[in-house]
């Protein structure tokens, strides 16, 4: 009947709506599950990144600690070196002062001994001064005579060498002029021969 058909259609429509709603619910659940999985993955990635940052921060703290300790050790080493250098400088200065004092004392004693020696020598050699002066003068005169003779012989030898060199230069100039004259004559003979040969060729033509 008509009422039955309507009820049947209504039942079918109701079932269709229920199936459609179930399908939408299932799709929504799948979307929700996919979103939850994506968020879980992102949370895991963020956790991993956080662990990486924590490890990196720990390493940075360790590096900073090591650098701080190394700087402290370097500072202590520099302080020790500064103290040692200061001690060395003071030690060297003390040695230099002691050495300078010894040198000064030695020079003073040497100067005093020289003065005493000079006084004694002037007293002991005053009688011999005239004899020594005469001997030195005689020796100087002998040396001057010998030097004069040597220089005169050397000048004569050099004069002879100079004259020989001048003669050699004159001979070379003469040979040069003869060679140039010979070359000019040979050149002129060559030119004359070429002119004669050219005239013979022109006459033959």
């Amino acid at each position: 009947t008509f009422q039955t058909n309507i009820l049947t259609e209504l039942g079918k429509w109701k079932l269709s709506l229920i199936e459609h709603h179930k399908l939408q619910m299932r799709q929504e659940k799948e979307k929700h599950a996919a979103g939850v999985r994506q968020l879980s993955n992102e949370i895991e990635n963020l956790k991993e990144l956080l662990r990486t940052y924590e490890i990196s921060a720990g390493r940075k703290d360790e590096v900073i600690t090591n650098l701080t300790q190394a700087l402290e050790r370097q500072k202590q080493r520099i302080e020790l070196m500064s103290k040692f250098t200061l001690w060395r400088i003071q030690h060297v200065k003390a040695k230099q002062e002691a050495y300078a004092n010894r040198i000064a004392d030695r020079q003073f004693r040497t100067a005093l001994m020289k003065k005493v020696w000079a006084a004694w020598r002037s007293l002991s050699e005053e009688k011999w001064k005239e004899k020594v002066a005469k001997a030195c003068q005689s020796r100087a005169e002998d040396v001057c005579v010998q030097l004069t003779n040597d220089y005169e012989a050397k000048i004569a030898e050099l004069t002879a060498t100079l004259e020989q060199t001048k003669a050699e230069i004159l001979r070379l100039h003469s040979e040069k002029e003869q060679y140039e004259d010979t070359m000019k004559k040979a050149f002129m003979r060559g030119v004359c021969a070429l002119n004669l040969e050219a005239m013979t060729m022109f006459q033959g033509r």
Side-chain angles (χ1 to χ4, degrees):
T1 62
F2 180 73
Q3 188 177 359
T4 303
N5 291 331
I6 291 173
L7 291 174
T8 303
E9 290 295 329
L10 287 173
K12 291 181 179 179
W13 183 66
K14 183 179 178 181
L15 291 173
S16 175
L17 287 175
I18 292 170
E19 291 295 330
H20 181 69
H21 180 68
K22 288 181 178 179
L23 178 62
Q24 287 181 347
M25 289 295 294
R26 188 166 56 251
Q27 290 177 352
E28 290 297 327
K29 286 181 179 180
E30 290 177 356
K31 288 181 181 180
H32 179 70
V36 170
R37 286 194 298 273
Q38 184 177 0
L39 289 175
S40 298
N41 292 329
E42 291 179 357
I43 290 170
E44 291 297 328
N45 292 331
L46 290 174
K47 287 181 179 179
E48 186 68 26
L49 184 60
L50 180 60
R51 285 195 294 272
T52 304
Y53 284 158
E54 289 177 352
I55 294 171
S56 177
R59 290 179 179 174
K60 287 181 180 178
D61 293 337
E62 183 179 357
V63 170
I64 291 171
T65 303
N66 293 332
L67 289 175
T68 304
Q69 294 176 356
L71 287 174
E72 187 65 26
R73 289 193 297 270
Q74 187 69 20
K75 182 180 178 182
Q76 294 176 358
R77 189 179 295 110
I78 290 172
E79 289 178 355
L80 289 174
M81 289 296 294
S82 298
K83 292 179 180 179
F84 178 72
T85 304
L86 182 61
W87 176 81
R88 285 291 301 275
I89 291 172
Q90 292 176 353
H91 182 66
V92 170
K93 283 184 177 179
K95 290 179 67 177
Q96 287 179 350
E97 289 178 358
Y99 180 75
N101 292 329
R102 289 197 301 271
I103 294 297
D105 293 337
R106 187 181 302 171
Q107 289 180 351
F108 175 75
R109 288 195 299 270
T110 303
L112 184 60
M113 290 175 65
K114 285 182 178 179
K115 288 181 180 180
V116 173
W117 171 256
W120 177 81
R121 189 175 181 181
S122 63
L123 290 174
S124 62
E125 292 183 355
E126 186 175 359
K127 296 179 180 180
W128 301 93
K129 188 181 292 184
E130 187 177 354
K131 292 182 179 180
V132 172
K134 289 181 178 180
C136 289
Q137 184 177 359
S138 177
R139 179 59 180 168
E141 290 176 355
D142 294 338
V143 171
C144 289
V145 171
Q146 184 65 35
L147 288 175
T148 302
N149 294 331
D150 293 340
Y151 281 127
E152 288 178 354
K154 189 67 176 177
I155 290 170
E157 182 182 355
L158 292 174
T159 303
T161 304
L162 179 62
E163 293 298 329
Q164 185 178 358
T165 304
K166 288 181 178 180
E168 183 68 19
I169 291 172
L170 291 174
R171 184 183 64 82
L172 291 174
H173 278 298
S174 178
E175 290 182 357
K176 179 182 177 183
E177 291 176 356
Q178 291 178 2
Y179 178 74
E180 290 178 353
D181 188 41
T182 303
M183 290 297 295
K184 287 179 180 179
K185 290 179 179 180
F187 179 73
M188 292 301 296
R189 285 196 298 271
V191 172
C192 291
L194 288 174
N195 290 332
L196 289 174
E197 187 176 355
M199 289 178 63
T200 302
M201 290 177 63
F202 282 125
Q203 289 175 359
R205 288 183 181 177

